[in-house]
DNA sequence: CTGAAAGCGCTTACAG
DNA sequence: CTGAAAGCGCTTACAG
């Protein structure tokens, strides 16, 4: 037996309509009426039941966050990136409007259909999705008729319900590589994990452009492993081929390269130049500290969330494509 | 206009009661009936509306996860610990039962009341809470009449709806310190952040016990800062006082000490011994790698979630107090 | 197994 | 502003 509008109405001596109006901020009522309702509600410990409200308004006040994780189940553990995004999403949701966050992690491609079902069942109001997904899933998302904001997704196609927030990955690749060139390094490698993905391709393109301008040769190292492990293994290949600098497409790869190089007594920042991408905290915790491309992850998450909120509040329309600037943060590794 | 039980019933040629029974797995129906219902539902794209179901069953199939964060808003970003917990919670929820996860982060003490309201509004079925909270909030949680499983909470008191999952923190403190003693270090410091908290006190007690057995003197360093920053600053104090080893109550502090020491050209693992607590991944990513107390964080989250699920399924009762074992993982820093 | 009926707690027109 | 009424989509007895 929970406390409902009926009890509050009785206690406050008003109609349930008025109670409803006060709590939803709709309709008209005097200040005294509002106070009476609020006092009664407080006295009885009344909280509107969101499920009941959801049933009639067809709004759940729930935002779904979709995280990809094809490698293993430990998405958050292995990717500081996602943590920052979650923090930023949460900080906006908490401050700007009353929406709760519900997480849908996608560990295997086979689960995509299931995720789609979960979204329907919860009647989620809007979706935030990070990364790349296959076309069928995107088509499915788009067909749900709710706004979707994609972070770091480069898919093309006609998705009327999508908006996009990306970073200027190509410029990042260019800046990182150019920095190494300016520092005097000659044999500059690109190191990354699954470079075939569209996002990594952008960073790769930036690398190419900088090398081309300088007339340098490409050395590309790609591996399908956890970023840190891949980096460790790259360090063997890099020394074997007498490469003297590496631009890594993500910081965790750079941390792996750093670890491997230090183990070989290579003097990082002098005999070997290292630049990462992401500018996550671990880059400042390792020693020597990592030079990196800052992609303002927190702001990216904030921007995406605010975009979604604006669409939900009908203050803007769908279809925007934002590209956030990047910058180089020079530290000790190059 | 969404597809409801009525449409499915009509399509399958059965009653809505039967459709409901099939989807909830209750009542009796033949295999043919079930197939007919499922076929019709699939054809129409029917998904049960959880809000409607919730309204009548008074179950939301939602688990609330409460994370504390008094320092700043970036809970997840700064604490790899929480990420592992979230991954583990999610992995159990996904595999064992259909529950969705809804996150309630508590950035400021003033927001605790608000969190309480959110829990009520969403009619959450059960709660997972990490860390310490003030007594009023705990009392409030307990009064909600839903099961609560606390991780790393040492509060005493009569909370009928609580269950606890902890690690053997005292033993961890003992093992870490004893290891340094056995390695021949003489002046062994304890370094931590906000050591007055009950959890850190346990680790401190273990440190004390080991020192006492060896007849060594205590050197305690406590600071209220982010763990890494505190560690960096400890490194100055440690060298100034010619301490030759440190047991840190959390890995991130140890990483800070390590960074500071390396910057001073101290040979870690030889001239200075360093042991952390948590055994998070960063301990294997820094060089030299960190010796640490493994507190099986992932298993702790799994255990807590499974405990909650069992209580919800009435397969066990409330009030259990589990203490998970810890062990020392020797690496390079001591 | 079925079908009609009641009801979960709320919001939404609508006539006053 | 109020109050009676309908209805969101589901589940739950209950009589058959």
């Amino acid at each position: 037996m929970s406390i409902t509008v009926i009890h509050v109405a009785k206690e406050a001596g008003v109609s349930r309509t008025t109670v409803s109006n006060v709590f939803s901020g709709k309709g008209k009522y005097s200040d005294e009426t509002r106070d009476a309702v609020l006092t009664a509600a407080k006295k009885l410990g009344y909280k509107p039941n969101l499920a009941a409200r959801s049933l009639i308004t067809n709004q759940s006040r729930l935002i779904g966050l979709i995280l990809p994780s094809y490698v293993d189940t430990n998405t958050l553990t292995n990717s500081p990136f996602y943590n920052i995004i979650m923090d930023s999403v949460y900080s906006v949701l908490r401050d700007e409007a009353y929406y709760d966050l519900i997480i849908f992690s996608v560990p295997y491609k086979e689960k995509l259909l299931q995720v789609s079902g979960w979204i329907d069942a919860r009647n989620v109001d809007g979706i935030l999705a990070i990364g790349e997904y296959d076309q069928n899933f995107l088509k499915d998302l788009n067909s749900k008729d709710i706004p979707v904001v994609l972070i770091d997704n480069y898919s093309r196609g006609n998705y009327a319900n999508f908006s996009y927030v990306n970073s200027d990955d190509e410029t990042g690749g260019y800046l990182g590589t150019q920095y190494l060139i300016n520092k005097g390094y000659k044999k500059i490698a690109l190191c990354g994990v699954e470079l075939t993905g569209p996002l990594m391709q952008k960073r790769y393109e930036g690398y190419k452009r900088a090398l081309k301008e300088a007339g340098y040769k490409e050395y590309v190292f790609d591996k399908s492993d956890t970023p840190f492990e891949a980096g460790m293994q790259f360090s063997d290949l890099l020394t074997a081929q007498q490469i003297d600098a590496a631009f890594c497409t993500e910081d965790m790869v750079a941390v792996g390269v750093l670890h491997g190089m230090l183990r070989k007594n290579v003097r990082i920042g002098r005999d070997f130049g290292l630049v990462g991408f992401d500018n996550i905290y671990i880059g400042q915790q390792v020693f020597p500290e990592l030079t990196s491309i800052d992609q303002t992850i927190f702001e990216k998450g904030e921007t995406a969330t605010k975009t979604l909120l604006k669409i939900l509040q009908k203050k803007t329309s769908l279809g925007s494509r934002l590209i956030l600037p990047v910058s180089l943060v020079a530290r000790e590794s190059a």
Side-chain angles (χ1 to χ4, degrees), chain A residues 207-330:
Chain A
Y207 163 81
K208 266 191 201 162
R209 178 158 65 95
L211 283 193
K212 199 173 176 184
E213 278 183 17
Y216 288 1
K217 200 177 154 216
E218 277 185 40
Y219 300 90
V220 178
F221 296 86
D222 188 358
K223 233 180 183 320
S224 183
D225 205 333
T226 64
F228 177 78
E229 273 302 321
M232 288 272 279
Q233 291 173 36
F234 289 148
S235 72
D236 293 336
L237 304 174
L238 292 166
T239 43
Q241 297 188 35
Q242 296 173 345
I243 306 281
D244 61 7
F247 168 65
C248 300
T249 56
E250 42 187 312
D251 277 355
M252 285 312 296
V253 170
V255 170
V257 171
L258 179 66
H259 188 120
M261 288 299 190
L262 291 173
R263 208 166 271 289
K264 296 183 212 304
N265 284 311
V266 173
R267 292 180 304 175
I268 296 292
R270 301 190 55 182
D271 303 339
F272 191 88
L274 188 60
V275 173
F277 200 117
D278 281 345
N279 193 27
I280 52 179
Y281 291 158
I282 194 171
Q284 296 171 67
Q285 290 160 349
V286 292
F287 178 78
E289 294 178 23
L290 197 63
T291 293
S292 184
I293 301 297
D294 182 23
Q295 62 152 321
T296 62
I297 305 174
F298 196 90
E299 288 76 5
K300 187 148 69 171
E302 279 187 321
T303 304
T305 313
K306 285 178 181 168
T307 301
L308 184 60
L309 251 32
K310 271 189 196 155
I311 296 168
L312 288 171
Q313 293 154 0
K314 312 227 184 290
K315 287 185 188 159
T316 185
S317 60
L318 288 146
S320 65
R321 288 184 177 267
L322 290 171
I323 295 176
L324 271 33
V326 299
S327 60
L328 185 131
V329 180

Side-chain angles (χ1 to χ4, degrees), chain A residues 20-41:
Chain A
S20 173
N21 282 339
V22 169
F23 275 91
S24 59
K26 293 173 187 165
K28 298 271 171 230
Y29 43 83
S30 66
D31 286 358
E32 302 91 66
T33 311
R34 192 204 51 217
D35 291 346
V37 167
L38 259 23
T39 310

Side-chain angles (χ1 to χ4, degrees), chain A residues 2 9 15 37 45 92 109 126 141 158 160 168 174 180 186 188 201 243 270 300 306:
Chain A
S2 42
S15 71
V37 167
V92 175
K109 283 196 179 166
L141 277 188
N158 242 340
D168 192 348
Y174 179 80
L180 287 167
K186 304 292 181 195
I188 302 170
Q201 278 296 307
I243 306 281
R270 301 190 55 182
K300 187 148 69 171
K306 285 178 181 168

